[in-house]
């Protein structure tokens, strides 16, 4: 089975995981999450490349740079989920299968978090399962990418 390359993007404030509102986001650090994603990627024969940024333009540049480098994207855009037309348009422009993930259930939180600009342009969204949201997103994306290979 050919190896896949998946880009994982973490948006603003996710660098503070483990200390930021652990009642909502859990006690795992971003390094913990990244380690689990890399291990799951190896298990599924996929290379996982990870980037976190608090800057919208850096995330957008990474999306643009994914063309020819990666076959799919996992994105937790953090607060940009609810505000960024630029990230939405970038995902549309590169036309790579993308999965949106969130540690918390954004639909059980403040009303402004119920709107995702990204959800309409991705193949799926997983939220509310903590780190499992990321792992399920990675598994689902890899399954989606390989469904035509079988």
């Amino acid at each position: 089975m050919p190896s896949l390359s998946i880009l994982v993007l973490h948006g603003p404030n996710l660098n503070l995981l483990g200390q930021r509102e652990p009642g909502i986001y859990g006690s795992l650090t971003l390094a913990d999450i990244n380690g689990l994603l890399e291990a799951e990627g190896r298990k599924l024969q996929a290379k996982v490349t990870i980037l976190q940024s608090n800057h919208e333009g850096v995330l957008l540049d990474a999306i643009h740079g994914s063309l020819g480098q990666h076959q799919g994207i996992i994105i937790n855009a953090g607060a940009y989920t609810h505000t960024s037309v630029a990230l939405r348009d970038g995902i549309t422009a590169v036309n790579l299968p993308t999965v949106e993930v969130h540690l918390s259930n954004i639909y059980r939180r403040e009303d402004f978090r119920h709107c995702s600009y990204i959800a309409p342009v991705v193949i799926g969204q997983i939220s509310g399962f903590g780190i499992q949201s990321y792992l399920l997103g990675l598994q689902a994306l890899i399954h989606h990418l390989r469904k035509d290979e079988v």
Side-chain angles (χ1 to χ4, degrees), residues 3 16 20 26 31 33 42 45 63 70 89 94 109-110 112 115 123 131 141 147 150:
S3 183
L16 297 177
R20 174 187 177 215
I33 291 171
R42 283 190 298 275
Q45 299 177 333
I63 292 167
H70 306 285
D89 288 351
V94 300
R109 300 191 58 199
E110 303 93 339
F112 71 88
C115 175
I123 61 171
I131 176 56
L141 179 57
K147 71 179 182 225
V150 180

Side-chain angles (χ1 to χ4, degrees), residues 8-146:
V8 175
L9 296 175
H10 304 288
N13 299 311
L14 293 169
N15 55 306
L16 297 177
L17 288 175
Q19 57 187 347
R20 174 187 177 215
E21 301 177 88
I24 294 173
Y25 299 109
S27 59
L28 291 179
T29 66
L30 189 59
D32 296 332
I33 291 171
N34 290 342
L36 291 167
L37 282 166
E38 289 167 341
E40 186 68 15
R42 283 190 298 275
K43 189 168 85 174
L44 298 171
Q45 299 177 333
K47 179 183 177 201
V48 175
T49 302
I50 301 169
L51 173 72
Q52 186 279 327
S53 181
N54 294 318
H55 304 281
E56 185 178 27
V58 171
L59 296 168
L60 186 57
D61 288 343
I63 292 167
H64 291 178
S66 66
L67 278 174
Q69 302 296 313
H70 306 285
Q71 289 76 47
I73 301 171
I74 302 286
I75 186 167
N76 180 345
Y80 292 138
T81 301
H82 322 291
T83 63
S84 182
V85 174
L87 291 180
R88 173 197 171 104
D89 288 351
I91 292 166
T92 301
V94 300
N95 197 30
L96 289 175
T98 301
V99 174
E100 176 186 351
V101 300
H102 298 282
L103 295 165
S104 67
N105 181 346
I106 62 175
Y107 303 102
R108 294 190 70 189
R109 300 191 58 199
E110 303 93 339
D111 287 346
F112 71 88
R113 294 187 198 274
H114 298 181
C115 175
S116 168
Y117 283 96
I118 294 169
V121 298
V122 298
I123 61 171
Q125 179 194 68
I126 301 172
S127 70
F129 294 99
I131 176 56
Q132 289 302 315
S133 293
Y134 278 99
L135 298 175
L136 291 167
L138 181 62
Q139 293 163 2
L141 179 57
I142 290 171
H143 176 75
H144 173 83
L145 291 166
R146 290 200 170 129

